[in-house]
Amino acid sequence: MDIQNVFVLTGAGISAESGLGTFRDRGGVWSRFDPMKLATPEAFAADPVLVHDFYNMRRRDALNAQPNAAHTALAELESGLAAQGRNLFLCTQNVDDLHERAGSRAVVHMHGELSRVRCLACGDGRPWREDLTVETPCPSCGVAGRMRPDVVWFGEMPKHLDAIEDALIKSDLFVAIGTSGAVYPAAGYVAQAQAFGIPTLALNLEAADNAGMFARTRLGLASATVPAFVADILAGADGS
Ligand code: APR
């Protein structure tokens, strides 16, 4: 099959070898912290100091981390496909900027970005690399204490869903990398791809919750499986 449009969905597993924690692995973030107390609008309203502390820690960790070979390989996939007149749609559940720092130019962050903040008073959104506190005034409207991390919390609508669905339907290959398939709508994309007759491939350390939905799976560390996959696709293989 001629692979013109590749859709790649990444999850926390692709950043694990960069030292950033996954969520549901043994020792994962949600086994140490309660997401309902840290990653919901209600949690932020109830205890903004606690939520700011949690996201300040994660923002600092993400900014101190380095992209790994898997991120670099996907940046090479983007430029390599473009040189061949083909396309990559890179959708990530991750809120770190390691794809961008590895050289990826078009990254769709469906769960938002740690490196951006948003003001609940005026709606202003902007890049942000420092700690955020309940005293921080909005640079746009000046109101203090209404700035929040521009990430998608549980109970909130993920971003860019129309663009993602549009790219998924047009894709010739759907690849999920480093995701447990536990959180929707991302976890449901493989079923949609299958329904459209699109070949599916999972690159993961272990079988994900939705592993049975994938036509093919390659188990292993992303730093090994992703470069091998990219080399195959750029050489004209179909990713099987
Ligand atoms: N290489 C490849 N896969 C890995 C690696 C690695 N080095 N390390 C871990 N994995 C796999 C794990 O086996 C697991 O299946 O990555 C997956 C990570 O799953 P989760 O921790 O659930 O992360 P993710 O799927 O991205 O979570 C989805 O949940 O809490 C929300 O918003 C949060 O975006 C996140 C979403």
Side-chain angles (χ1 to χ4, degrees):
M1 175 181 188
D2 184 22
I3 309 287
Q4 281 297 320
N5 302 305
V6 180
F7 186 115
V8 171
L9 170 70
T10 63
I14 200 170
S15 297
E17 291 166 86
S18 296
L20 296 184
T22 55
F23 295 97
R24 295 171 185 83
D25 285 336
R26 282 170 300 286
V29 174
W30 298 144
S31 68
R32 290 175 285 124
F33 298 99
D34 178 358
M36 293 305 112
K37 290 200 169 48
L38 292 166
T40 68
E42 295 77 14
F44 184 61
D47 192 344
V49 173
L50 180 70
V51 174
H52 278 314
D53 287 349
F54 177 66
Y55 282 94
N56 288 340
M57 171 191 67
R58 291 189 60 204
R59 184 184 302 105
R60 288 195 294 267
D61 289 348
L63 292 175
N64 289 329
Q66 295 305 318
N68 64 59
H71 298 104
T72 303
L74 289 183
E76 289 162 1
L77 180 63
E78 179 185 60
S79 53
L81 287 174
Q84 297 172 352
R86 302 157 75 191
N87 304 296
L88 171 66
F89 186 91
L90 178 55
C91 173
T92 186
Q93 299 172 93
N94 299 339
V95 292
D96 63 60
D97 63 349
L98 294 181
H99 283 304
E100 290 86 347
R101 287 203 272 136
S104 290
R105 299 162 62 90
V107 185
V108 175
H109 284 271
M110 66 183 295
H111 290 168
E113 299 172 75
L114 275 174
S115 59
R116 291 187 63 83
V117 297
R118 180 158 52 85
C119 175
L120 292 174
C122 70
D124 175 69
R126 61 180 58 222
W128 197 270
R129 303 173 67 83
E130 294 74 33
D131 283 2
L132 196 58
T133 74
V134 292
E135 282 86 35
T136 307
C138 169
S140 178
C141 71
V143 173
R146 302 289 288 147
M147 305 278 281
R148 60 163 281 182
D150 196 4
V151 298
V152 175
W153 283 328
F154 290 102
E156 294 185 321
M157 181 65 75
K159 298 171 181 268
H160 314 298
L161 294 183
D162 291 344
I164 293 168
E165 295 279 344
D166 184 53
L168 183 60
I169 293 172
K170 292 174 181 166
S171 67
D172 306 307
L173 176 64
F174 173 81
V175 188
I177 303 171
T179 180
S180 64
V183 173
Y184 287 81
Y189 290 155
V190 59
Q192 284 182 261
Q194 291 279 45
F196 292 127
I198 297 166
T200 56
L201 170 65
L203 304 180
N204 217 53
L205 188 58
E206 55 198 12
D209 294 4
N210 57 359
M213 298 296 296
F214 287 88
R216 298 181 298 274
T217 294
R218 294 184 193 176
L219 294 181
L221 292 170
S223 60
T225 61
V226 179
F229 160 73
V230 168
D232 288 348
I233 290 294
L234 292 181
D238 64 1
S240 57

